[in-house]
Each structure stands twice: as structure tokens, then as C-alpha cells.
Amino acid sequence: MLNNRAGTALGWDKTAEEHLFTILEQIPAMIRGIAETRVTKKAQALAVAEGRQEISHKDMVSAFFAETPSGFVPAMKQSMNELGIDYGKYGYK
């Protein structure tokens, strides 16, 4: 499979990928590339660990929570809230 926009060999749920890039666009440009790499690698690892070929919305949310430094979590949550992402249903507060 060819790499997709998020740079992984796995496929992405379309909405999850759209939300990924919308949230990434709100991250300062000088650290955006690092954030994209870390979040996409984590999301891919989560999908692989469960034996799936597609990165789900839950994987994307979990990856952001796992890879976002604590000082940036409130801004990340605000971005998710603005997109209508209910991260609470995935066990995050």
C-alpha cells in the first residue's frame, strides 16, 4: 500500500485523517512536523497492535493524548471540542 497523506503505510479512516490535519494546523509551525510524526507513528502502532489495516478515529484521539505534552493538552482538547470529537467516549477526560 502506498503512503497516504499522513505518511503511513496503513490506511486512515477518512474523518480521522481530516481531524488529524485540522488539529495539526493549529499547532505552531515550528513544532508541527514533530507533532505530526509522533502522532501518526503512535496511531499506526495502536492500529497494528490490534491487527487492523486502518487507523481509526479512536487511534487518532489516543495518539494525540499519548504524544501531546501536558502543557498543550488544554489546547488539543479545545481543538477536538471545536471539531465535535467526543474524546470522553474513548476514556479521556
Side-chain angles (χ1 to χ4, degrees):
M1 180 179 291
L2 294 175
N3 285 351
N4 57 14
R5 183 174 170 209
T8 64
L10 296 180
W12 277 77
D13 169 86
K14 184 179 178 179
T15 303
E17 187 176 31
E18 289 171 2
H19 285 166
L20 167 78
F21 285 103
T22 300
I23 294 167
L24 287 171
E25 287 171 4
Q26 297 175 17
I27 294 172
M30 72 182 209
I31 60 170
R32 188 176 304 139
I34 295 166
E36 180 179 350
T37 298
R38 292 181 64 134
V39 171
T40 57
K41 283 184 179 182
K42 182 65 173 183
Q44 181 176 14
L46 292 168
V48 168
E50 293 189 11
R52 291 182 280 104
Q53 294 296 311
E54 183 175 83
I55 297 167
S56 70
H57 209 259
K58 180 180 185 246
D59 298 325
M60 184 271 303
V61 170
S62 295
F64 266 111
F65 273 92
E67 297 299 324
T68 301
S70 60
F72 295 99
V73 169
M76 177 201 67
K77 287 180 175 180
Q78 180 62 35
S79 294
M80 289 185 181
N81 288 333
E82 289 171 2
L83 290 169
I85 298 171
D86 179 9
Y87 50 82
K89 76 178 181 180
Y90 302 125
Y92 299 99
K93 295 180 181 182

